[in-house]
Amino acid sequence: VTYQIEKPRSGVADFYRAEMPKRGWTLTDEGIGGGIFLVFTKDGKSVRVTVAGNSSDTSASVAITEE
């Protein structure tokens, strides 16, 4: 799943850090590369949320993939 949002990437990453645990997911890895990445696990499944911002950091592109 990919989408664009009119929020800075740090705010989008903070949203996933707060909301995923409420749904039973555990944050197991995170880092910064070409964007912010977060890896969550639940019931033997793993998802990666990658958030990349534009040059002015006013919007973000989000990609959620199953690993």
Side-chain angles (χ1 to χ4, degrees):
V1 173
T2 61
Y3 67 93
Q4 296 278 89
I5 187 167
E6 296 298 317
K7 300 281 184 187
R9 68 180 177 174
S10 61
V12 176
D14 289 345
F15 170 82
Y16 282 99
R17 282 187 196 102
E19 294 301 317
M20 292 292 281
K22 292 178 184 178
R23 290 160 175 77
W25 293 88
T26 301
L27 179 63
T28 56
D29 193 15
E30 68 179 291
I32 299 175
I36 299 169
F37 75 86
L38 308 167
V39 178
F40 297 92
T41 58
K42 175 181 172 180
D43 300 331
K45 297 178 185 173
S46 181
V47 295
R48 180 185 188 101
V49 178
T50 304
V51 185
N54 65 9
S55 60
S56 61
D57 202 30
T58 58
S59 68
S61 173
V62 182
I64 302 170
T65 55
E66 186 174 351
E67 295 192 321

